Amino acid sequence: MNGRLIVLWLLIICIAAGAARRRSKKKDEVRKPNCPTAKTFGCAKIWLPVCGSDGVTYSNECLLCMKMSESKQEISIAKNGHC
């Protein structure tokens, strides 16, 4: 009985680890930033770095949007975190 319980727990751990790995890969897919439609920006000083498709690490998604607005370039989010 104890052997079956150990195997069951190992199976649950493996399934949970696989699900977490799939979720983290989805978070790092190239995506368009969620930018405000207003022309004026006021970005909060929140540290959630994103890597832009231009190879620059932005402190957060709002700052990437601000750069897009200033430069008139389309910049996607290549991945969450540093480049």
Side-chain angles (χ1 to χ4, degrees):
M1 183 72 175
N2 284 339
R4 288 183 182 174
L5 188 59
I6 291 172
V7 170
L8 179 63
W9 276 109
L10 289 174
L11 181 61
I12 290 171
I13 290 170
C14 289
I15 291 171
R21 191 175 313 120
R22 282 190 299 278
R23 274 194 305 266
S24 69
K25 284 183 181 179
K26 285 183 181 178
K27 288 180 185 176
D28 290 339
E29 291 177 352
V30 175
R31 62 182 174 87
K32 288 188 173 196
N34 185 15
C35 297
T37 55
K39 296 274 183 187
T40 58
F41 282 94
C43 296
K45 293 185 178 183
I46 298 172
W47 181 252
L48 289 172
V50 292
C51 177
S53 57
D54 59 352
V56 176
T57 299
Y58 296 91
S59 298
N60 57 47
E61 193 168 333
C62 181
L63 292 173
L64 183 143
C65 290
M66 188 183 303
K67 178 66 176 186
M68 278 179 40
S69 177
E70 292 170 355
S71 67
K72 307 291 189 231
Q73 289 181 318
E74 190 69 30
I75 305 171
S76 299
I77 297 175
K79 69 175 194 168
N80 292 324
H82 297 280
C83 292

